Amino acid sequence: MSDGVEGNEERRRTGDAAGPEPQGVPEPRPGEPEPAAQPEPATLVKAGTAGRTEARAGAKTDEPATGEADDAAPAAPDASGTPADAPPDSTDTPDDPEAPDEAGDGLRYERLPDAPPPILDGVRARPPAPPGLATLVAAAVTALLSGLLLGDGLAVNALILALPLAAAAWFAARQAGRRPRRSSLCWGAGGLALLAVPVWSDAEWPTLLAVLAAAGLGALALHGCRKWSGVLLAPLGPVLAVRRALVWGWRGARERTAGGEKDLGPLLRSVLVAVVLLVVFGGLFAAADRAFADLLGSLVPDVDGGSGVPWRLFLAVLGLAAALAVAHTAAAPTRWDGLGPGPGRPRGRVEWALPLVLLDLLFAAFVAVQAAVLLRGEDVVRASNGLTYSEYAREGFWQLLFATVLTLAVISVAVRVAPRSGPRDLLLVRAVLGTLCLLTLVVVASAVRRMDLYMGEYGLTRLRLSVVAMELWLGAVVLLILAAGVFGARLLPRAVLASAAVAVLAFGLASPDKLIAESNLDAHRDGRTLDLRYLAGLSADAVPALDRLDEPLRSCALRSIAVPDAPWYATSLSQARAHDILTARPVRNHPCRDLLTDDISPSVR
């Protein structure tokens, strides 16, 4: 026995309590190096007749601190369950957690399972350094402009707010040592281009769609993702970073206000002095000249009192949080690409190809029937099912739209489990899925043709125009999938997102409400029924077209269209054009109840 062990036995016999032996750490053998410091073990739970208690580092919490306790019970086990005074090669380790303690006290120890790591630990970057002065100034400017400009609607102010927001992201990324890629710059430029839609159009639904698409492109520019998981999850990055970003911004502000070379105090004092000077002298000049007062009043935002002030303060706080979240994401982006699933287990050729070949045959049969109907026209429809052409078109459009979406889902699953053992498998995949894509394009064309026939009979509406645009974009996605089968699928996720952004931009700049009004008026001039009640619910985009109606139809259609007298930063070009038209030709006070419900004869100039 080693000297350390003999000394231990001697102290046990003599009851020497000069210093208790450390619990849970075995004595090293002679000639062996000292054991390295071990990290704190997992939590142990002591269970038995005495109840459950927790113990750290393998020691019993109720054990006395004197050496006499060694005679009453053996040393507590360490984190692995081995008694402290047992040699390293001892076979007395209590592997069975249900086995009672040998001392007979009915106690046992169980290892609790370790908590699983958070799902984002593997893809989240390390916390960045506190933000610099430029980032904090850009965030403060964003907050100020949000409180001043966002309370009156969206137009040019959306584009104005995007500039300091992009500046905050740029400065934060440069401070963290990140250099933007060309693809990130392209995504950012695309997001700014989408904000031209609220500048151009007054309709709320294309504006909302464009703002959401711009936010998605901005998130992709911050993260630089390339895979499907990154493209789909990138918009969550700034949202999930809000709490951390607020703490991050507070730390940066504390560092900049604590004195030193980059103190924020001189800048704040300079801004305060500038604001005081502008307010004092601006008020004096406005009182001295009415023309200057009108110019100043049109440029400076009107901060309402009462309930307007809390709302603008809320918008300012929201803008500050958004700017800090965007800057934090630019400095430490989450790598969403790491969460994407890997390729699925490849299937055999017969198992994979048989369902898809049968699906191709079904599509081919449907396409053959559609060719006969669409080429030969209404007589075939009436002879086959007794429906009119418009009823036939309306009945099948939604089913074809859903079939297109479902086909894209089938293709995505089929690509993931496709056989990939050699060139023959690659040829099989291209042939089967390529045929399916081509037949899907015919289905898309059939759906669009059906809706075109239906709109020719009953006119254009927002819903009909939206679903046709959606169907056309799905056709573009199918074409991109065909191109990916030939040139490779590496760029497919970003290409699909770019096509969606282009579609949203084109849809917004086309002024859908204006197209709807012009289409219905052209049909009305040819003798079709005019739904004046529906046209009266359109936005200011439709005012130039509705201005062509004769009185009293013109006034009845334009009376319900709101063209608010908003400030310059919240007025779109469409609103400004409608305001000029209604100022030159005001709406007259005609009774319109009967005109909004009855069929109206052609009266379009």
Side-chain angles (χ1 to χ4, degrees):
M1 184 177 293
S2 64
D3 296 338
V5 176
E6 290 176 355
N8 189 20
E9 294 296 330
E10 181 66 25
R11 284 192 294 272
R12 289 186 179 185
R13 287 193 299 270
T14 59
D16 184 12
E21 286 292 317
Q23 302 296 321
V25 181
E27 294 287 342
R29 294 184 177 181
E32 290 184 354
E34 291 290 333
Q38 298 294 328
E40 186 178 51
T43 303
L44 300 178
V45 175
K46 182 171 67 176
T49 57
R52 288 182 173 268
T53 56
E54 293 185 0
R56 283 287 185 184
K60 296 179 180 179
T61 56
D62 55 348
E63 192 171 25
T66 59
E68 288 81 4
D70 293 333
D71 295 331
D78 60 7
S80 62
T82 306
D85 57 349
D89 56 351
S90 173
T91 60
D92 298 334
T93 57
D95 293 333
D96 185 8
E98 300 296 334
D101 195 298
E102 293 183 0
D105 55 1
L107 301 178
R108 58 184 174 83
Y109 287 88
E110 297 177 348
R111 179 184 295 275
L112 292 179
D114 295 332
I119 189 173
L120 297 182
D121 277 0
V123 296
R124 181 175 289 166
R126 297 179 59 185
L133 179 61
T135 304
L136 292 176
V137 170
V141 171
T142 304
L144 179 63
L145 293 179
S146 299
L148 293 177
L149 303 182
L150 282 185
D152 300 298
L154 280 182
V156 189
N157 48 9
L159 192 57
I160 294 175
L161 280 174
L163 298 180
L165 202 64
W170 175 272
F171 292 135
R174 292 294 295 267
Q175 181 186 356
R178 297 187 66 214
R179 296 296 181 268
R181 302 172 181 172
R182 286 181 296 178
S183 60
S184 296
L185 295 178
C186 291
W187 293 127
L192 293 177
L194 282 167
L195 293 180
V197 174
V199 178
W200 175 261
S201 175
D202 176 57
E204 295 180 355
W205 50 302
T207 296
L208 179 60
L209 194 61
V211 171
L212 293 178
L217 292 189
L220 193 63
L222 295 175
H223 292 86
C225 300
R226 299 182 177 182
K227 298 181 180 179
W228 281 113
S229 58
V231 169
L232 296 177
L233 296 177
L236 294 178
V239 177
L240 297 178
V242 170
R243 183 182 61 84
R244 299 190 306 274
L246 292 176
V247 177
W248 177 67
W250 173 250
R251 291 175 179 173
R254 286 181 56 186
E255 287 188 4
R256 297 300 178 268
T257 54
E261 182 181 355
K262 298 182 179 180
D263 189 7
L264 196 59
L267 178 62
L268 295 178
R269 290 191 293 269
S270 176
V271 171
L272 180 60
V273 171
V275 170
V276 171
L277 292 177
L278 291 177
V279 170
V280 172
F281 284 94
L284 292 175
F285 291 151
D289 188 275
R290 182 175 296 275
F292 183 79
D294 294 339
L295 175 63
L296 196 64
S298 63
L299 294 178
V300 177
D302 183 16
V303 181
D304 300 328
S307 61
V309 174
W311 171 242
R312 291 183 183 273
L313 288 177
F314 171 76
L315 291 176
V317 173
L318 191 64
L320 178 63
L324 290 176
V326 166
H328 186 278
T329 304
T334 302
R335 300 300 180 185
W336 297 106
D337 285 346
L339 294 180
R345 183 174 65 87
R347 306 292 178 176
R349 294 177 184 173
V350 176
E351 180 185 3
W352 178 87
L354 180 60
L356 295 177
V357 169
L358 295 177
L359 186 61
D360 285 346
L361 294 176
L362 178 63
F363 269 62
F366 178 80
V367 167
V369 174
Q370 292 303 295
V373 171
L374 296 178
L375 293 178
R376 296 177 59 185
E378 188 172 356
D379 295 337
V380 176
V381 176
R382 290 185 181 276
S384 59
N385 47 30
L387 299 176
T388 64
Y389 218 29
S390 58
E391 291 171 342
Y392 174 76
R394 180 183 61 184
E395 184 182 62
F397 173 80
W398 296 104
Q399 291 85 342
L400 296 182
L401 177 64
F402 183 73
T404 305
V405 176
L406 190 59
T407 302
L408 294 177
V410 170
I411 291 174
S412 64
V413 174
V415 169
R416 191 168 180 267
V417 298
R420 45 183 178 268
S421 60
R424 297 180 61 185
D425 288 337
L426 180 60
L427 181 61
L428 175 66
V429 171
R430 288 181 174 178
V432 175
L433 294 184
T435 302
L436 183 59
C437 288
L438 291 175
L439 294 173
T440 304
L441 288 177
V442 180
V443 173
V444 170
S446 175
V448 173
R449 176 58 178 161
R450 284 170 179 255
M451 185 52 66
D452 179 63
L453 295 172
Y454 185 69
M455 290 187 300
E457 182 70 23
Y458 294 102
L460 196 60
T461 64
R462 288 176 172 178
L463 178 60
R464 295 164 192 169
L465 184 60
S466 300
V467 294
V468 167
M470 180 69 177
E471 186 72 32
L472 290 175
W473 176 70
L474 291 176
V477 172
V478 175
L479 289 176
L480 291 175
I481 294 175
L482 280 172
V486 177
F487 302 105
R490 185 174 62 91
L491 298 178
L492 181 60
R494 289 178 287 176
V496 171
L497 182 64
S499 68
V502 171
V504 171
L505 180 61
F507 188 73
L509 295 181
S511 296
D513 282 5
K514 180 181 178 181
L515 293 178
I516 293 170
E518 291 179 346
S519 173
N520 282 272
L521 291 186
D522 291 341
H524 178 58
R525 186 170 50 190
D526 295 336
R528 302 291 180 88
T529 301
L530 182 66
D531 190 351
L532 195 64
R533 180 184 295 274
Y534 183 82
L535 296 179
L538 299 178
S539 65
D541 297 346
V543 169
L546 297 179
D547 187 55
R548 296 160 44 195
L549 285 168
D550 292 332
E551 293 291 351
L553 300 182
R554 174 187 175 275
S555 295
C556 292
L558 295 178
R559 182 177 300 170
S560 301
I561 297 180
V563 184
D565 189 12
W568 64 271
Y569 51 82
T571 302
S572 65
L573 295 177
S574 178
Q575 285 179 328
R577 185 166 54 250
H579 185 271
D580 293 340
I581 292 175
L582 296 179
T583 301
R585 296 183 60 199
V587 174
R588 301 177 184 177
N589 189 15
H590 290 293
C592 300
R593 181 176 181 180
D594 295 336
L595 294 177
L596 293 177
T597 56
D598 296 341
D599 293 340
I600 302 171
S601 59
S603 56
V604 181
R605 288 181 283 108

